[in-house]
Amino acid sequence: MSKRPTPAESKPTARDLNTGLRFGFLIHDVSRLRRVAVDRALKPLGITRAQWWVLAFLSRRDGMTQTALAADLDLTKVAVGGLLDRMENAGFVERRTDQSDGRARRVYLTRAGAKMVSAIRQSVETVELQILSPISEAALEQASETLRTLKETLLEILGAEAEESESSDIETLS
């Protein structure tokens, strides 16, 4: 696979900006509606969106620091601290002092948290199959490739490094 030119290397092509803007709004609307559908599917589990996002991140990287979790969730440390207090009281997570840095606290899934992750995955899988059922496999693969390209371009524009693997795209709970 050949390397795509960076935004600085590629010449902008003439495009209808209205089409691009509509595309951006469509991505936003689809994402918002999908979150609403997933929230509805998870409501019987008694879990909030913020909580299932914490569980999703920990299911992929158990033992994250509170600071890293706050950054990944795009929340303040204070907001994450309060969220983790509630989740710890519910028995889903536990916080432990980092062995090498006594100031840092790491967050781990408990057995109840891992069980909740499994329940979330089942509920999300059901709603995902319902959402994706009218789309052919080929169309879904093309859409996924387009979104990955857009994500890589945005990361380049923002100066971020490309993610280490595509597994985060595949394993996300939401």
Side-chain angles (χ1 to χ4, degrees), residues 8-28:
E9 297 170 335
S10 61
K11 290 183 184 178
T13 57
R15 299 246 174 152
D16 178 1
L17 188 55
N18 288 325
T19 301
L21 289 173
R22 284 192 302 268
F23 183 72
F25 280 111
L26 184 58
I27 288 173
H28 174 76

Side-chain angles (χ1 to χ4, degrees), residues 1-76:
M1 185 161 106
S2 64
K3 184 181 181 300
R4 284 186 323 105
T6 65
E9 297 170 335
S10 61
K11 290 183 184 178
T13 57
R15 299 246 174 152
D16 178 1
L17 188 55
N18 288 325
T19 301
L21 289 173
R22 284 192 302 268
F23 183 72
F25 280 111
L26 184 58
I27 288 173
H28 174 76
D29 284 346
V30 168
S31 179
R32 179 183 55 80
L33 291 168
R34 185 181 166 280
R35 283 191 308 269
V36 170
V38 171
D39 283 349
R40 186 179 296 165
L42 295 180
K43 188 172 184 164
L45 298 177
I47 196 94
T48 67
R49 180 182 302 159
Q51 290 172 331
W52 61 265
W53 274 102
V54 167
L55 294 172
F57 277 92
L58 291 176
S59 73
R60 287 178 290 171
R61 293 189 346 214
D62 201 23
M64 295 176 71
T65 64
Q66 280 188 222
T67 302
L69 192 55
D72 284 355
L73 293 170
D74 200 23
L75 295 172
T76 66

Side-chain angles (χ1 to χ4, degrees), residues 26-172:
L26 184 58
I27 288 173
H28 174 76
D29 284 346
V30 168
S31 179
R32 179 183 55 80
L33 291 168
R34 185 181 166 280
R35 283 191 308 269
V36 170
V38 171
D39 283 349
R40 186 179 296 165
L42 295 180
K43 188 172 184 164
L45 298 177
I47 196 94
T48 67
R49 180 182 302 159
Q51 290 172 331
W52 61 265
W53 274 102
V54 167
L55 294 172
F57 277 92
L58 291 176
S59 73
R60 287 178 290 171
R61 293 189 346 214
D62 201 23
M64 295 176 71
T65 64
Q66 280 188 222
T67 302
L69 192 55
D72 284 355
L73 293 170
D74 200 23
L75 295 172
T76 66
K77 292 179 192 177
V78 172
V80 166
L83 178 60
L84 292 174
D85 286 343
R86 291 186 297 281
M87 292 182 74
E88 202 165 31
N89 288 337
F92 295 133
V93 299
E94 67 179 7
R95 291 179 276 193
R96 300 181 213 148
T97 303
D98 185 291
Q99 298 293 336
S100 60
D101 180 357
R103 299 167 298 168
R105 303 216 23 205
R106 294 197 171 270
V107 186
Y108 296 90
L109 285 174
T110 62
R111 195 172 289 188
K115 190 174 179 180
M116 179 59 78
V117 167
S118 293
I120 291 169
R121 282 193 172 129
Q122 284 182 316
S123 294
V124 170
E125 183 178 303
T126 300
V127 77
E128 288 291 348
L129 289 171
Q130 187 178 10
I131 292 167
L132 299 174
S133 66
I135 302 169
S136 73
E137 196 65 33
L140 188 57
E141 286 176 24
Q142 179 61 55
S144 293
E145 183 59 34
T146 299
L147 291 172
R148 271 191 212 92
T149 300
L150 289 170
K151 181 179 178 179
E152 289 171 11
T153 301
L154 287 164
L155 287 169
E156 287 174 13
I157 289 168
L158 297 172
E161 292 183 11
E163 292 186 6
E164 291 178 349
S165 74
E166 291 182 354
S167 64
S168 64
D169 293 334
I170 296 166
E171 295 175 359
T172 301

